[in-house]
Each structure stands twice: as structure tokens, then as C-alpha cells.
Amino acid sequence: MKSSGGRSKAFRRNHTMTDRPSSRPLSPLEQRVLAELLSEDFSGVHELRNQLAEARVTGHWGSESPSVDLEVPSRVPEARIKDGIIPASGTVTDSSGRLFGELLVWVSGGRLSALEFSWYGDTAPTELPDPQLVTVTVSG
């Protein structure tokens, strides 16, 4: 009998590699990238930093996208910050110093709600960048 990696043909046909759990803890890379984006001071950042330990990924923006939806339990104090994109963004360069993309953090109801990685060019990233390639700037 041939091994199918522990999964039947029917399972593989009905559950592709894009299937992901409905909720999971932040990966170590997601944690580091978010911490980098929250490293600069702005109103509400202290509470957002405190939410990192409790934040969970609840969805992906596409099968190969590193952008994710986030959820923070209601028991965790909310930040006094407007809904939308926080006033800090991360410019991403590649290893040769060329501009590659931008990282944005979204907030809803005073809680972290998404991490977005937008890119420049034709090739979409499939993973988040090394935080050392991110330059954080605060607007306003």
C-alpha cells in the first residue's frame, strides 16, 4: 500500500494547501513585524503593544498572502485610537536596498484588526519581510 502522507485522496481533493485554521496565535514572524510597526510612539500605541500577546490570526487575505485579519479578545484593554490604519507604517526594502513594499496595521474598535503587506511590482510576496528590512515612520 502506498503512503499518502496520512491523508486520503478525497481529503486532499477537498482540502487544498490554502485551507488554514479559523483562528491561531501569531507566528513568531508576525509577532516581530507587528512589534516593529508598534515600536514608535503615537497615541494609543501602548495599549496596542499590550494587545500583541493576545492577538490571534482569524483569516488570510488570499491563499498565498501574508496579509492577515486579527482579533484581540474584548477582555484586553482597547486603545483610544480611530478606526482605520494606525499612524505608523513600515517601508520595506529588499536585501539590496530597493523599495519593495509597505506594511500597514489596521485597528477597529481600539483593537488590532489586520496586518497588511502591500507590495510594489509584479511579484506578490508570500511571506512577511524580515523586520530588519522595515523602516517605520509615524505620520501626523
Side-chain angles (χ1 to χ4, degrees), residues 61-139:
W61 291 24
S63 63
E64 297 293 321
S65 175
S67 298
V68 292
D69 290 322
L70 303 171
E71 180 179 72
V72 175
S74 60
R75 64 178 154 67
V76 179
E78 66 186 55
R80 291 183 179 244
I81 189 170
K82 291 170 54 172
D83 285 356
I85 299 170
I86 66 169
S89 62
T91 302
V92 181
T93 55
D94 63 19
S95 57
S96 64
R98 289 181 301 205
L99 191 59
F100 183 78
E102 182 178 29
L103 291 161
L104 304 170
V105 177
W106 292 78
V107 173
S108 180
R111 291 181 172 74
L112 298 168
S113 62
L115 171 60
E116 178 181 357
F117 187 8
S118 60
W119 70 96
Y120 310 127
D122 297 329
T123 307
T126 57
E127 61 185 32
L128 292 171
D130 182 324
Q132 292 180 343
L133 300 174
V134 178
T135 302
V136 179
T137 55
V138 176
S139 59

Side-chain angles (χ1 to χ4, degrees), residues 9-85:
K9 285 182 184 178
F11 180 90
R12 289 193 313 266
R13 183 174 56 248
N14 294 322
H15 297 85
T16 66
M17 294 300 289
T18 61
D19 288 350
R20 300 184 184 186
S22 60
S23 176
R24 64 165 173 79
L26 296 173
S27 71
L29 181 56
E30 290 163 341
Q31 181 86 26
R32 289 193 323 272
V33 167
L34 281 164
E36 182 67 25
L37 292 166
L38 299 174
S39 66
E40 298 293 327
D41 289 332
F42 58 87
S43 181
V45 73
H46 178 72
E47 291 83 3
L48 295 176
R49 288 175 188 151
N50 289 337
Q51 294 176 10
L52 281 178
E54 299 291 330
R56 295 185 62 83
V57 172
T58 59
H60 287 261
W61 291 24
S63 63
E64 297 293 321
S65 175
S67 298
V68 292
D69 290 322
L70 303 171
E71 180 179 72
V72 175
S74 60
R75 64 178 154 67
V76 179
E78 66 186 55
R80 291 183 179 244
I81 189 170
K82 291 170 54 172
D83 285 356
I85 299 170

